[in-house]
Amino acid sequence: QGQLVESGGGSVQAGGSLRLSCAASGSIFRLNTVAWYRQAPQKQRELVATITSIRTTNYADSIKDRSIISRDNANIVYLQMYSLKPEDTAVYYCNTVPTMRVNGYDYWGQGTQVTVSS
């Protein structure tokens, strides 16, 4: 059974930076594309960045040029975010692409809260 643990969130002022981490159990990430998603209050979850097994990256326009997604050789994926804006406030999640399924349901970790104040 897979497990995802996100960390690194916090409260920062606009213009600040955060580095989010996502640790996966086992070898879940090794051959998979991994993505960071975020969900702001009363909004749908949105995909913001992806990284393939060969480290090809893509970003949503909302965070492009302000973020870097990376992965180590084990099972950790990072999202370094710069020049944070209040609209970046959300719970951030990671997952494989497509999302992990456990017992027939999409599996998500607990996420990590990012709060950006103006």
Side-chain angles (χ1 to χ4, degrees):
Q1 183 168 342
Q3 183 176 11
L4 302 170
V5 180
E6 300 93 344
S7 62
S11 296
V12 297
Q13 290 193 326
S17 301
L18 284 172
R19 188 193 197 202
L20 309 183
S21 299
C22 172
S25 60
S27 58
I28 299 166
F29 286 169
R30 192 166 64 90
L31 299 178
N32 287 303
T33 294
V34 181
W36 280 96
Y37 301 78
R38 69 185 182 186
Q39 186 166 19
Q42 300 181 332
K43 292 190 176 181
Q44 288 193 331
R45 191 170 294 169
E46 63 169 334
L47 186 151
V48 294
T50 60
I51 184 166
T52 69
S53 59
I54 58 171
R55 294 177 167 80
T56 301
T57 60
N58 274 291
Y59 301 90
D61 288 344
S62 56
I63 69 167
K64 196 173 184 179
D65 300 326
R66 299 188 294 117
S67 300
I68 299 173
I69 187 172
S70 60
R71 62 194 297 168
D72 68 2
N73 292 323
N75 280 302
I76 301 179
V77 174
Y78 305 96
L79 183 66
Q80 176 74 56
M81 303 180 69
Y82 306 92
S83 302
L84 284 161
K85 304 175 181 179
E87 50 263 45
D88 294 319
T89 295
V91 180
Y92 286 71
Y93 303 88
C94 65
N95 213 317
T96 55
V97 179
T99 56
M100 293 173 54
R101 291 182 70 81
V102 176
N103 296 327
Y105 294 93
D106 285 344
Y107 170 84
W108 293 92
Q110 83 288 350
T112 187
Q113 175 72 48
V114 171
T115 303
V116 184
S117 57
S118 58

